[in-house]
């Protein structure tokens, strides 16, 4: 770990912000934009903790990080973003921390008023805010009514995940690295959010935007692998998180819908046997009759082959 020191001011609110990045040339501009928006925050001492993840790092980008004052950075040769998050949180020294993706940015002065000057000033463990999303040239708020989700945080996760980089402040003393170590990258924020609820962490929802999320082409969240991992996540999460029957039913419905969408994608992509693989899994009760009619759309192409 390397520190490019700037002495923090005496007193006042402090927050460390973990930024995971491959530090490659393709994302260099967005990475340094993200760092600028962290260090330009007024009224708050915000320190980036940059976790360089994997072997695609650019010597030019690393040289710029070496010269940049006021940041902490570490190189992890193994490409493991889940572990990079955990290791970044282990290096937090401020009373509060956040996570920001290297292609997103904090809004100007967004943290002023969010980060307490002293840890005892506010009675929450996680402060959940909102954010803007930029996609196809359009910028819009991500969650239409964030505070409505506070009434039932666990169930609301199935409709719209309220935990994401740039829109949550964590109390360092209670939201530990062990708590966020879910051992996976895809679906990690849903998993972490479920843990926060089931562990009884004090959540506060504040419907103010704090970040701007950019929809980057080639993002891992767009891949088929991500969808396959999401299916695996919904298959296994019940073994860790205690759930009542209505929540299990909702998760089963979400899983069946996802399996059906994967079957349709595979069929449209000329992969009938892969389509059958997902289709047959979607037919588990109580969703058998909802999707059984799709069988006839797979029979024709399969018989022709």
């Amino acid at each position: 770990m390397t520190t490019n020191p700037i002495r923090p001011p005496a007193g006042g609110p402090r927050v460390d912000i973990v930024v995971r990045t491959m530090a490659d040339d393709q994302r260099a501009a967005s990475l340094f934009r993200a760092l600028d928006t962290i260090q330009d925050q007024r009224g708050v001492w915000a320190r980036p903790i940059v976790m360089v993840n994997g072997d695609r790092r650019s010597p030019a980008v690393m040289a710029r990080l070496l010269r940049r004052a006021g940041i902490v950075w570490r190189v992890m040769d193994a490409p493991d973003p889940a572990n990079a998050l955990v290791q970044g949180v282990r290096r937090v020294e401020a009373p509060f921390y956040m996570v920001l993706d290297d292609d997103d940015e904090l809004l100007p002065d967004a943290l002023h008023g969010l980060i307490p000057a002293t840890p005892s000033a506010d009675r929450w463990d996680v402060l959940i805010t909102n954010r803007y999303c930029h996609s196809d040239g359009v910028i819009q708020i991500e969650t239409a009514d964030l505070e409505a989700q506070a009434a039932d945080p666990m169930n609301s996760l199935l409709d719209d995940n309220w935990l994401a980089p740039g829109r949550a402040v964590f109390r360092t003393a209670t939201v530990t690295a062990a708590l966020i170590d879910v051992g996976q990258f895809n679906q990690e924020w849903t998993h972490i959010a479920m843990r926060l609820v089931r562990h009884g962490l004090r959540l506060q929802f504040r419907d103010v935007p704090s970040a701007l999320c950019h929809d980057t082409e080639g993002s891992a969240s767009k891949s088929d692998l991500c969808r396959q991992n999401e299916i695996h996540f919904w298959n296994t999460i019940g073994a860790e998180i205690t759930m009542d029957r209505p929540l299990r039913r909702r998760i089963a419905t979400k899983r069946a819908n996802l399996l059906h969408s994967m079957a349709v994608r595979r069929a449209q992509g000329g992969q009938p046997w892969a389509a059958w693989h997902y289709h047959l899994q979607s037919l588990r009760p109580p969703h058998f009759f909802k999707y059984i009619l799709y069988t006839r759309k797979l029979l024709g192409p399969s018989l022709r082959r």
Side-chain angles (χ1 to χ4, degrees), residues 8-15 42-46 94-96 111-113 115-119 121:
R14 296 189 299 124
V15 59
R42 293 184 298 180
V44 175
W45 184 71
F96 302 94
L111 303 187
H112 183 64
I115 310 298
T118 59

Side-chain angles (χ1 to χ4, degrees), residues 185-213:
F185 175 52
N186 296 123
Q187 302 303 310
E188 63 178 335
W189 291 107
T190 303
H191 197 162
I192 292 169
M194 286 186 164
R195 277 191 176 181
L196 297 176
V197 175
R198 285 305 184 213
H199 281 73
L201 274 294
R202 299 167 298 178
L203 309 180
Q204 184 177 118
F205 292 77
R206 194 176 301 177
D207 201 354
V208 295
S210 56
L212 174 60
C213 167

Side-chain angles (χ1 to χ4, degrees), residues 231 235 255-256 259-260 274-285:
I231 293 170
N235 283 341
R255 172 187 171 279
L259 285 165
H260 176 68
W276 276 106
H277 168 76
Y278 290 111
H279 175 59
L280 293 174
Q281 291 185 71
S282 73
L283 298 181
R284 291 183 187 176

Side-chain angles (χ1 to χ4, degrees), residues 15-302:
V15 59
D16 284 337
I17 302 182
V18 177
V19 181
R20 293 174 291 182
T21 182
M22 290 185 289
D24 57 359
D25 290 323
Q26 182 179 357
R27 298 277 276 267
S30 63
L31 167 63
F32 288 101
R33 178 187 64 196
L35 297 181
D36 287 341
T37 65
I38 293 171
Q39 294 184 286
D40 288 346
Q41 295 289 313
R42 293 184 298 180
V44 175
W45 184 71
R47 181 183 68 162
I49 299 177
V50 183
M51 302 301 295
V52 180
N53 179 42
D55 57 3
R56 289 174 49 183
R57 57 189 179 273
S58 159
V61 173
M62 294 305 300
R64 289 181 65 181
L65 288 174
L66 182 62
R67 294 193 300 267
R68 191 178 185 102
I71 71 171
V72 173
W73 58 272
R74 183 195 176 193
V75 173
M76 300 178 63
D77 289 326
D80 187 348
N83 188 42
L85 173 61
V86 174
Q87 296 305 319
V89 173
R90 292 189 190 281
R91 284 154 179 78
V92 168
E93 297 176 354
F96 302 94
Y97 70 91
M98 298 180 69
V99 179
L100 189 69
D101 283 344
D102 67 350
D103 55 346
D104 297 339
E105 55 187 294
L106 292 178
L107 298 179
D109 303 331
L111 303 187
H112 183 64
L114 290 183
I115 310 298
T118 59
S120 60
D122 285 331
R123 298 182 180 275
W124 48 258
D125 298 303
V126 186
L127 177 64
I128 298 104
T129 67
N130 217 327
R131 67 179 180 177
Y132 292 110
C133 286
H134 179 207
S135 179
D136 296 327
V138 177
I139 297 177
Q140 58 185 6
I141 200 73
E142 184 170 33
T143 304
D145 189 0
L146 178 66
E147 292 180 351
Q149 299 185 340
D152 192 349
M154 183 67 84
N155 267 288
S156 66
L157 282 169
L158 303 186
D159 300 317
D160 185 8
N161 187 11
W162 38 259
L163 194 69
R167 58 179 295 183
V169 182
F170 302 96
R171 187 180 297 270
T172 306
T174 52
V175 188
T176 63
L179 188 60
I180 66 164
D181 185 3
V182 295
Q184 63 187 35
F185 175 52
N186 296 123
Q187 302 303 310
E188 63 178 335
W189 291 107
T190 303
H191 197 162
I192 292 169
M194 286 186 164
R195 277 191 176 181
L196 297 176
V197 175
R198 285 305 184 213
H199 281 73
L201 274 294
R202 299 167 298 178
L203 309 180
Q204 184 177 118
F205 292 77
R206 194 176 301 177
D207 201 354
V208 295
S210 56
L212 174 60
C213 167
H214 293 277
D215 186 14
T216 301
E217 189 65 30
S219 171
S221 62
K222 298 174 185 284
S223 68
D224 271 357
L225 178 60
C226 176
R227 294 182 179 90
Q228 294 169 23
N229 287 338
E230 184 176 357
I231 293 170
H232 176 72
F233 172 72
W234 294 121
N235 283 341
T236 59
I237 188 62
E240 176 188 339
I241 303 295
T242 303
M243 302 177 186
D244 56 27
R245 184 173 296 178
L247 183 59
R248 286 188 180 277
R249 277 200 299 263
R250 289 200 64 201
I251 288 177
T253 298
K254 190 176 184 71
R255 172 187 171 279
N257 292 341
L258 184 60
L259 285 165
H260 176 68
S261 70
M262 288 293 287
V264 173
R265 287 172 61 87
R266 289 293 190 264
Q268 292 174 343
Q271 300 173 280
W273 302 120
W276 276 106
H277 168 76
Y278 290 111
H279 175 59
L280 293 174
Q281 291 185 71
S282 73
L283 298 181
R284 291 183 187 176
H287 303 95
F288 179 84
F289 291 105
K290 181 177 180 180
Y291 295 119
I292 188 60
L293 291 178
Y294 186 70
T295 305
R296 59 188 174 84
K297 294 190 177 182
L298 296 179
L299 281 173
S302 298

